[in-house]
Amino acid sequence: MTTTETIYKLYTKHPVISTDTRNITPGCIFFALKGDLFNANEFAHQAIEKGAAYAVIDEEKYAENAQCLLVDDVLTTLQDLASHHRKQLNIPVIGLTGSNGKTTSKELVNAVLAERYKTFATFGNLNNHIGVPLSILAITADVQIAVIEMGANHQKEIELLCTIAQPTHGIITNVGMAHLDGFGGFEGVKKGKAELYAYLKATNGYTFINRDNAYLLEMSANAGLNKLIYYGTENGNTIKGTLKSSDPFIEVTWTNHEAESTVKTNLTGSYNFENILAAICIGDFFDMNPDEINAGLANYQPKNNRSQLTKTEKNTVICDFYNANPSSMTAALNNISVLSAGKKTAILGDMFELGPESPAQHQLIVNQAQESGLDQLIFIGKYFYAFKEMVNALFFETPAEAAAYLQQNPIEDHLVLLKGSRGMKLENLLQYI
């Protein structure tokens, strides 16, 4: 069997990793991962033919030549290789997780830090047991600070990701009603996210905490953390912030005990205020001045269908359809209800991974939407469809049915909230709004 140390020596000469034969670059190392519906060992030879220097495999029958590196388990090897690489990097690594706002916070933190430092941040949402090792292995020697997003849908997952990313600093954006099925309810969510705090306690790392969030205060106290940097809206925090405006874009006034500063961002949604404060706090911790911090925030352009305000030919759309859970759905409805607009519509898609809580959570969102004072409500998906007799709204079982309706009954001159879980693929409706 090929050892991790041997593969690492090859990696230093071939520092590009691929797990997809469609994205092979000359000289890369291909890791033949397995899934429920595929076995990439079968494509190792193809990867080498396309230019991969080596293929890491875990089935001996595919070891055709010396370029095929046989290991016990490809995924474990990938994770071990990333952990080994991380140990060679003497840089701050900020581990970031939470129920909502992970990716936006990661992007904001990176945008701020990049004003002074050579940074690396998780690409897209490569934040799971495969994405985190790939992210770590993409960190080059010239990087000064890395921001690693860590996602989870069950307990012990953040614990595993911490052993790979080995964060020196960490932040939990919040805890909410997300992945309830995998975590086993809200208390399970708190326990799972707190695995980051446990790691930082064990390694004497630094933790950034939103002091306005009672759950995070409770979790940090239970973990016994001692290197704490607080941000929030009250005096006594390292960073104190005030939401000056959020209609439609967020403007924040903040102070670091020395000087007051104001920044206007390109983000919509008052729920992003705490994500902005987190980025300010982290920038301040790393000795950045207010001008640098504000420049990073002001120049950041959301482009990932998270809190992204888009003008179509007919309407203004809040594109927030990358994902959804009850906590983020509630925040999005609260936000659109207070924004200035002549007419408002919410198009909401099903929320996934809620387990036994799903019916009750969907009903709560239906009730909240009905009370939000919007001009039109459209619900899409089988979970929402179960409540079609309850309220005066439009219900469709599939996005295709909703698209057909919108083609025949176009919405015009509205502020539209488009939000649902990733699997609903609500982006396909944007062309009809």
Side-chain angles (χ1 to χ4, degrees), residues 1-203:
M1 293 293 173
T2 311
T3 65
T4 298
E5 290 73 18
T6 297
I7 296 175
Y8 190 73
K9 289 178 182 178
L10 298 173
Y11 160 81
T12 59
K13 300 175 183 177
H14 304 275
V16 176
I17 305 297
S18 175
T19 60
D20 189 334
T21 54
R22 294 169 296 183
N23 299 319
I24 295 295
T25 57
C28 72
I29 300 178
F30 174 71
F31 278 73
L33 297 172
K34 294 176 181 176
D36 293 336
L37 301 176
F38 65 90
N39 178 2
N41 281 273
E42 300 172 0
F43 306 110
H45 179 70
Q46 181 183 338
I48 292 171
E49 281 188 335
K50 285 188 170 185
Y54 298 94
V56 180
I57 61 174
D58 52 17
E59 293 186 20
E60 190 171 3
K61 65 181 179 179
Y62 296 104
E64 298 184 1
N65 53 48
Q67 289 176 274
C68 296
L69 308 176
L70 185 64
V71 299
D72 287 325
D73 182 84
V74 171
L75 175 59
T76 301
T77 300
L78 177 67
Q79 294 169 340
D80 289 347
L81 186 70
S83 179
H84 185 76
H85 179 56
R86 170 66 186 96
K87 289 182 174 69
Q88 318 309 311
L89 302 168
N90 186 26
I91 60 171
V93 172
I94 302 166
L96 190 153
T97 191
S99 297
N100 300 304
K102 287 188 299 296
T103 300
T104 298
S105 293
K106 176 257 300 181
E107 295 288 339
L108 288 170
V109 169
N110 184 56
V112 167
L113 293 175
E115 289 292 316
R116 175 178 288 198
Y117 300 99
K118 170 68 174 177
T119 63
F120 174 89
T122 301
F123 179 74
N125 69 326
L126 289 174
N127 61 15
N128 64 5
H129 61 296
I130 297 171
V132 167
L134 290 175
S135 295
I136 294 297
L137 288 166
I139 300 176
T140 53
D142 59 341
V143 169
Q144 296 172 292
I145 301 178
V147 187
I148 301 297
E149 180 180 336
M150 298 187 289
N153 57 20
H154 57 269
Q155 291 175 33
K156 298 298 182 182
E157 192 166 6
I158 295 296
E159 181 181 282
L160 168 66
L161 299 181
C162 283
T163 65
I164 298 169
Q166 301 157 41
T168 54
H169 303 68
I171 179 170
I172 302 175
T173 58
N174 50 55
V175 287
M177 307 291 280
H179 304 296
L180 297 179
D181 195 19
F183 279 114
F186 181 60
E187 288 302 314
V189 174
K190 290 165 60 180
K191 185 177 180 181
K193 298 301 182 183
E195 290 164 13
L196 174 57
Y197 286 171
Y199 181 87
L200 293 169
K201 168 64 175 176
T203 57

Side-chain angles (χ1 to χ4, degrees), residues 362-363 365-371 377-379 384 386-395:
H362 280 85
Q363 183 172 358
I365 296 301
V366 169
N367 294 343
Q368 182 192 353
Q370 188 181 22
E371 296 168 2
L377 300 173
I378 299 175
F379 296 97
F384 276 132
F387 303 100
K388 64 183 183 299
E389 305 299 335
M390 285 184 53
V391 297
N392 183 22
L394 295 170
F395 288 83

